[in-house]
Amino acid sequence: MPRDLSVEIASHRDLGGGNHLLEVEAAPLARETAPGQFFMIGFPGADTLLRRPFSVCGLPGTFDGSSRSAVHVLYKVVGRGTEHLASRKPGSPLSILGPLGRGFDLELGAGTEALLVAGGIGSAPFPALAAALGARGIRCTLLYGARSASDLPLLDWFRARAPEVIVTTEDGSAGTRGLVTDPLRERLARGGNVRILACGPNPMLREVAAIAREASVPCEVSLEARMACGFGVCLGCVVPTRRGEGGETAYERVCVEGPVMPAEKLAW
Amino acid sequence: MVTPDLSVRLGSLRLRNPVLTASGTFGYGLEFLPFLSLEEIGGIVVKGLSPKPRKGNPPERIVETPSGMLNAIGLQNVGVDAFLAEKLPELRRHDTAVVANVFGETIPEYVEVCAKLDAAEGIAAIELNVSCPNVEAGGMAFGADAASLARVTRACRDATRLPLWVKLSPNVTDIRETARAAEAEGADAVSLVNTYVGMVVDVERRRPVLANGCGGLSGPAIRPLAVWATWQVSRAVAIPVVGMGGIASGRDAVEFLLAGASAVQVGTASFVHPDASVRIAREIGSWLAGHGLASVREIVGTLRTGKEERR
Ligand SMILES: Cc1cc2nc3c(=O)[nH]c(=O)nc-3n(C[C@H](O)[C@H](O)[C@H](O)COP(=O)(O)OP(=O)(O)OC[C@H]3O[C@@H](n4cnc5c(N)ncnc54)[C@H](O)[C@@H]3O)c2cc1C
Ligand SMILES: Cc1cc2nc3c(=O)[nH]c(=O)nc-3n(C[C@H](O)[C@H](O)[C@H](O)COP(=O)(O)O)c2cc1C
């Protein structure tokens, strides 16, 4: 059950490239949040009206040295709200509503390998996810694509924690030059019992979903949409979905039926 | 200090306190149970109901604006039948007034929904959303002129004995005219304002941000406009007025009450703080107590403009 908490920033790290890792102490959220779920974060005193949605990035145990009530959010400065947030120092108050939405399916079944596909800041939900899958003995490979080397936040964390990390950048400043979908295609060509879990910009997700479909590999995507409330009442954050092959389309809420949705149900 | 009496009357309907939640911002009420007790507010106005379920507009549907937001949801809803079968029985387990917001694209559609609600148990009042485009009249909103508003009000009046509120659109030249038309055709109250039509442009794409083009502006940005509309209408009609538009605190609500509203609705604020309506009701109580007032009814319409003394 979601709750609305007043918290203080416990730590706040500038990771470069406009990316920041925010930590708050919120025991109920640390207990109840599942990888892929998100929070609506409000900045008291800011001149923005609505809260902003952010995925859970870290739960207790994800990052070394964090407490049993620690919750982490990884975000990129893209506009007024995130710019304001980046100026906040430890001790500064935030309101945080969560946990919200539907997270990733963690029941992958023995022997399934998880292919985590991230586009830039889309890696945000993956530390908590990789930690949870790792704890279940599921092998994770991270395919991490971005525009350039500075857009790969927490790459070192992933390298230390995931058995395999494949990096692509559009400008070739890190990893292989190209798009993250290139190594994804190669990996799928090798076959095996895999499942894709993807988060990133919509065009990337659409491409990943198409590749997964072609290879008949199950795929979940974590979506973004403008939202006002985050708990299902404003109906602002909908995406078109389809019930069954060739079925009727409907609009479903990213905040309740998502943000993680099976790719095959999206009508994009 | 005595606890002020917050109860208000809107015609035959008594509310525990003057704070209701605005249609389209509170779902069907049940979504808010993790955050508040419905017994602490005067009542709820549910998402607009149509005869059949509606899919709504394609995204983008919302965008934040300075101190507000623009929405073009397109009246997505489960339809009146599903509301009565699935949502209302749940809601009735809570002691709060349930106001059903109704819309249609034709007058028979409005009438159909009103008649179904009339036959149900547990509806405190019907609120007509007349900001919906009138398909028969070429897509102009029912609430855009007094004549078509009069027709839809009369037709619904004849279809129900429930208290009938007409929710006025502010997108008119003189809101007092539509308010008077509602009163003349038998409305028990008017509520105002619905959202103000606006547009946000994505300058890079040279397109409106919303897929629908325009949308409805809500939130603190519209509050002074809404207070003014409330003041004008409250002096133009004798039936009770329910005020809304950008209310985010008890003080904001008191502005509307002084300007002549007998009750208020809280909309966009519930998105930001799900328990906003409860907090606002408490803050009205504290404001009254702080001013030594025994009842919220004492302040309704007591705004002084200064002009009366000078006259
Ligand atoms: C479920 C979910 C999880 C998310 N998780 C993360 C995360 O972990 N890290 C991260 O950096 N970002 C995440 N985002 C995107 C993040 O919410 C936006 O970048 C942020 O809202 C931008 O706010 P702003 O005020 O800086 O930008 P502005 O452009 O000034 O914001 C204006 C409005 O648009 C909305 N908006 C702008 N961009 C987006 C976007 N991409 N998605 C949704 N709404 C947007 C804002 O919320 C705000 O209402 C997530 C979005 C969703 C829906
Ligand atoms: C997302 C959204 C959906 C709305 N849906 C409805 C609706 O279905 N019927 C209606 O009469 N008003 C609807 N409204 C208007 C509100 O009930 C209210 O009149 C308006 O938002 C002004 O109040 P506020 O500034 O407190 O939000 C909606 C408003 C918003 C923001």
Side-chain angles (χ1 to χ4, degrees):
Chain A
M1 195 156 90
R3 16 176 141 220
D4 189 6
L5 303 172
S6 298
V7 298
E8 285 180 358
I9 298 179
S11 75
H12 207 173
R13 258 171 65 206
D14 187 340
L15 304 178
N19 301 300
H20 300 257
L21 187 64
L22 176 83
E23 180 187 18
V24 301
E25 299 276 334
L29 300 184
R31 251 190 336 265
E32 292 166 22
T33 307
Q37 288 191 296
F38 71 102
F39 310 118
M40 290 297 282
I41 298 186
F43 326 125
D47 64 356
T48 46
L49 175 70
L50 304 170
R51 299 189 192 206
R52 302 294 192 251
F54 298 100
S55 302
V56 62
C57 172
L59 290 164
T62 308
F63 296 107
D64 292 336
S66 62
S67 81
R68 290 178 52 189
S69 52
V71 171
H72 287 81
V73 162
L74 173 67
Y75 69 94
K76 186 181 168 84
V77 173
V78 299
R80 277 192 319 139
T82 44
E83 199 171 300
H84 173 88
L85 181 57
S87 72
R88 294 290 192 99
K89 303 268 179 302
S92 159
L94 295 177
S95 52
I96 181 163
L97 178 68
L100 299 166
R102 178 184 169 280
F104 291 100
D105 181 2
L106 301 177
E107 307 306 322
L108 267 60
T112 303
E113 180 186 351
L115 298 181
L116 313 186
V117 184
I121 190 67
S123 63
F126 288 160
L129 176 65
L133 291 175
R136 283 157 197 256
I138 289 162
R139 188 187 149 84
C140 293
T141 295
L142 175 70
L143 308 177
Y144 200 174
R147 199 155 295 157
S148 85
S150 61
D151 304 317
L152 297 161
L154 299 180
L155 180 59
D156 293 341
W157 184 95
F158 286 113
R159 285 203 163 124
R161 295 290 288 266
E164 196 183 347
V165 177
I166 300 167
V167 172
T168 62
T169 51
E170 286 168 42
D171 65 2
S173 54
T176 316
R177 181 191 296 265
L179 298 173
V180 72
T181 41
D182 305 336
L184 176 65
R185 279 200 189 84
E186 285 163 28
R187 177 63 193 79
L188 292 181
R190 274 194 271 147
N193 190 4
V194 296
R195 177 198 285 237
I196 298 171
L197 307 138
C199 184
N202 268 340
M204 178 202 106
L205 293 182
R206 230 175 277 144
E207 187 63 21
V208 169
I211 294 169
R213 195 186 148 97
E214 221 166 277
S216 305
V217 166
C219 175
E220 282 191 313
V221 293
S222 179
L223 298 168
E224 283 185 4
R226 289 174 198 274
M227 51 181 67
C229 70
F231 52 93
V233 294
C234 77
L235 307 180
C237 64
V238 298
V239 287
T241 60
R242 202 185 301 286
R243 281 180 236 284
E245 195 69 29
E248 220 181 293
T249 61
Y251 289 119
E252 290 189 79
R253 298 162 295 185
V254 168
C255 70
V256 174
E257 284 81 28
V260 179
M261 288 192 184
E264 68 266 17
K265 113 174 190 187
L266 290 162
W268 58 12
Chain B
M1 199 150 45
V2 282
T3 320
D5 176 8
L6 286 182
S7 70
V8 294
R9 253 181 195 294
L10 295 167
S12 59
L13 180 64
R14 184 186 172 278
L15 302 176
R16 141 186 335 109
N17 66 49
V19 179
L20 299 131
T21 58
S23 178
T25 64
F26 209 69
Y28 301 101
L30 305 166
E31 296 89 336
F32 281 78
L33 293 177
F35 310 112
L36 51 74
S37 145
L38 299 176
E39 278 81 14
E40 289 186 65
I41 48 181
I44 68 170
V45 185
V46 301
K47 177 74 191 161
L49 299 167
S50 52
K52 297 271 171 320
R54 273 176 63 122
K55 202 171 142 180
N57 289 333
E60 303 283 328
R61 288 181 171 186
I62 58 166
V63 58
E64 184 168 322
T65 62
S67 295
M69 63 177 281
L70 206 61
N71 89 81
I73 307 300
L75 297 162
Q76 177 175 347
N77 79 103
V78 299
V80 65
D81 296 331
F83 169 74
L84 291 174
E86 292 154 28
K87 311 285 182 184
L88 188 59
E90 278 290 306
L91 266 179
R92 290 195 65 199
R93 297 179 21 212
H94 303 269
D95 178 21
T96 203
V98 177
V99 178
N101 182 277
V102 169
F103 72 93
E105 289 183 345
T106 62
I107 288 179
E109 283 191 9
Y110 274 97
V111 168
E112 179 185 344
V113 181
C114 287
K116 282 183 172 165
L117 292 166
D118 187 75
E121 283 293 322
I123 303 286
I126 289 175
E127 178 180 68
L128 300 182
N129 174 6
V130 292
S131 297
C132 188
N134 180 347
V135 167
E136 290 164 335
M140 261 263 282
F142 285 97
D145 68 281
S148 60
L149 183 134
R151 276 194 296 279
V152 69
T153 305
R154 173 50 54 192
C156 293
R157 175 72 292 167
D158 293 342
T160 181
R161 296 147 304 162
L162 288 168
L164 184 66
W165 304 356
V166 176
K167 182 166 176 182
L168 302 176
S169 164
N171 304 301
V172 292
T173 310
D174 186 350
I175 195 167
R176 291 171 300 187
E177 284 180 17
T178 44
R180 287 192 195 105
E183 180 177 41
E185 299 304 326
D188 296 292
V190 284
S191 50
L192 65 146
V193 293
N194 211 317
T195 52
Y196 287 81
V197 177
M199 181 187 270
V200 174
V201 173
D202 178 338
V203 296
E204 300 307 324
R205 293 164 58 237
R206 298 195 187 192
R207 283 168 168 273
V209 171
L210 301 184
N212 186 54
C214 65
L217 185 64
S218 65
I222 69 169
R223 192 191 308 136
L225 303 169
V227 170
W228 168 241
T230 299
W231 169 240
Q232 282 191 298
V233 166
S234 74
R235 290 186 305 163
V237 297
I239 52 177
V241 173
V242 180
M244 81 196 88
I247 295 176
S249 72
R251 291 184 75 93
D252 300 342
V254 169
E255 283 196 46
F256 284 84
L257 296 168
L258 293 174
S262 298
V264 296
Q265 293 181 17
V266 173
T268 302
S270 295
F271 295 157
V272 186
H273 299 287
D275 64 350
S277 51
V278 168
R279 176 175 47 79
I280 289 166
R282 284 201 202 110
E283 288 172 359
I284 295 172
S286 314
W287 189 90
L288 293 169
H291 290 74
L293 296 163
S295 161
V296 66
R297 297 185 298 278
E298 286 177 41
I299 67 166
V300 170
T302 58
L303 182 72
R304 292 181 302 233
T305 59
K307 290 186 184 148
E308 53 283 78
E309 283 89 5
R310 265 184 267 128
R311 224 178 267 144

